[in-house]
Amino acid sequence: QVQLVESGGGLVQAGGSLRLSCAASGSIFTINVMGWHRQAPGKQRELVATITRANSANYADSVKDRFTISRDNAKNTVYLQMNSLNPDDTAVYYCNAVGFTGTMATRSLFNSWGQGTQVTVSS
C-alpha cells in the first residue's frame, strides 16, 4: 500500500504563487508517473500536470507557462510550483502516483491518490 501526503495549499491573491508538495511512502519499488489533478466546485476532476521518472513533463493547456512540475526520485516526492495564479485555479489539488510496490520479483502495480489540498485564489 502506498500513501500520498500533500502539503502547501492555502489562500493567495491573484498573481501570487504557491508550491505544492506530495510525498509518497510505503513499500515502493518504483514510481513511474507522478502528477497533479484538481477539482473545482461543481466540476469534474481534471489533469493539471504529470511527470515521468525520467522527468518528462506534460501540462494542461490552462496551466502551461505558469505551473512547473518537478520530482525528487530519491525522496519519492513531487512538487508543483504555481505562478501567476488566478481565481480559475481555485480547486482541491490531488496528488497521484502510479508505479510498483514490492521487489523486482514480487512487484505489484499501484495507483494511489492523496487526500487533496485546497488552493484558493482571491481576486
Side-chain angles (χ1 to χ4, degrees):
Q1 189 174 358
V2 176
Q3 297 80 38
L4 303 180
V5 178
E6 300 122 332
S7 60
L11 173 64
V12 65
Q13 288 188 332
S17 299
L18 282 174
R19 188 186 192 220
L20 305 182
S21 300
C22 171
S25 63
S27 182
I28 298 170
F29 174 63
T30 188
I31 303 179
N32 295 78
V33 180
M34 301 189 82
W36 292 93
H37 295 67
R38 67 186 181 186
Q39 187 166 18
K43 295 186 177 181
Q44 289 188 329
R45 190 175 297 190
E46 63 176 1
L47 172 72
V48 176
T50 61
I51 186 167
T52 69
R53 187 170 181 84
N55 288 317
S56 176
N58 179 59
Y59 297 92
D61 288 342
S62 60
V63 306
K64 278 181 182 177
D65 301 323
R66 299 189 299 122
F67 291 10
T68 302
I69 189 170
S70 60
R71 64 187 282 176
D72 184 332
N73 291 330
K75 295 181 179 179
N76 289 325
T77 300
V78 63
Y79 307 95
L80 186 68
Q81 177 66 42
M82 304 185 293
N83 299 328
S84 301
L85 286 161
N86 61 65
D88 289 338
D89 296 316
T90 295
V92 178
Y93 284 69
Y94 296 91
C95 175
N96 173 248
V98 179
F100 292 90
T101 58
T103 65
M104 175 64 79
T106 65
R107 61 190 183 277
S108 177
L109 182 68
F110 74 85
N111 184 348
S112 295
W113 292 85
Q115 79 286 354
T117 185
Q118 177 70 46
V119 171
T120 302
V121 184
S122 62
S123 57

